[in-house]
Amino acid sequence: MEKMISEACERNKGPILEKLKGVIDGKRDLNILEIGSGTGQHAAFFASELSNVSWSTSDLKENHEQIKLWIEGIKNIKQPIQFESGKDEFPQGDFDIVYTANTLHIMSWKNVKTLIKQIGKALKGDARVCIYGPFNYHGKFTSESNENFDAWLKDRNPMSGIRSFEDICNNFVKYNFILENDFEMPANNRFLVFKKLK
């Protein structure tokens, strides 16, 4: 099996790493759980650049072999965990950060809310949730390309679609999170950071 390469992952890994470093802020021995590791490119790159973290990958079972190809030989990455929100129990572990990229617009809104609930119950105080991807603000798309992307997503699966920033925030608030940062990213994406209150 050959490694799959996501061009989007290659383009956005540098800017995302910069934001992750800001969240980690020099702390040591952090446990990070990635939801929806996809090809495994992000995990391999970030774990190699962040030697003080233990990175846990997770995704659907059919993606695990691909992830294993990317993370082979990287000591601070754990083997992929089977996880699909709405079907599986949340991964076990004492996680300081949950990171996910380009997943919420793929999932149904029901499963997005389930994931936030699972994260809220699993994380302790001061833990962070980092979410990368496109969002709508005040009921509007932030760009024509995002509007076109949303139409493409819904054509593939009517349950998919770019999520409302306000809806995401409101659901995290239900589980005792506050929005710590909302960073503008390249290609009309955002990097949201939520903090769990004690």
Side-chain angles (χ1 to χ4, degrees), residues 2 10 44-45 50 65 127 152 176 178 180 198:
E2 293 184 7
E10 288 302 303
F45 178 70
L50 302 168
E65 289 306 312
W152 179 80
N176 210 28
I178 59 168
E180 195 167 54
K198 293 183 178 179

Side-chain angles (χ1 to χ4, degrees), residues 34 36-41 58-59 63-64 66-67:
E34 181 180 14
S37 299
T39 62
Q41 283 167 261
S58 73
D59 211 309
N63 294 328
H64 285 195
Q66 189 57 226
I67 293 169

Side-chain angles (χ1 to χ4, degrees), residues 17 42-53 55 74 76-77:
L17 176 63
H42 274 176
F45 178 70
F46 297 148
S48 296
E49 294 290 325
L50 302 168
S51 59
N52 59 305
V53 309
W55 194 281
I74 304 174
N76 58 329
I77 300 186

